[in-house]
């Protein structure tokens, strides 16, 4: 079941994606392609830091359901 915190996480990821797209577009048009790619990598790292705890919790719940020890 999806909790309210998970829905908030989805909105946070969407906001990060929108902001990153804007930064990427501006930097690429300004001729700063290295910084544009760096902003994408930084955004990806931020999203992974936010998502990893959710994935760990998912695996723990699956393990609990199937009683794998």
């Amino acid at each position: 079941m999806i909790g309210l915190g998970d829905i908030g996480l989805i909105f946070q990821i969407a906001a990060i994606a929108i902001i990153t797209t804007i930064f990427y577009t501006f930097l690429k048009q300004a001729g700063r392609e290295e910084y544009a790619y760096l902003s994408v990598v930084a955004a990806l790292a931020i999203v992974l830091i936010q998502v990893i705890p959710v994935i760990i919790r998912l695996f723990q719940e699956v393990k609990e359901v199937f009683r794998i020890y």
Side-chain angles (χ1 to χ4, degrees), residues 34-54:
E34 297 86 13
Y35 293 120
Y37 291 124
L38 187 62
S39 69
V40 171
V41 170
L44 181 63
I46 292 170
V47 168
L48 282 175
I49 289 170
Q50 290 180 339
V51 170
I52 286 175
V54 176

Side-chain angles (χ1 to χ4, degrees), residues 1 7-8 18 20 28 31 36 39-40 44-45 51 54-55 59 65:
M1 184 171 178
I7 293 174
I18 291 169
T20 303
K28 189 142 178 146
S39 69
V40 171
L44 181 63
V51 170
V54 176
I55 293 172
F59 282 129
V65 167

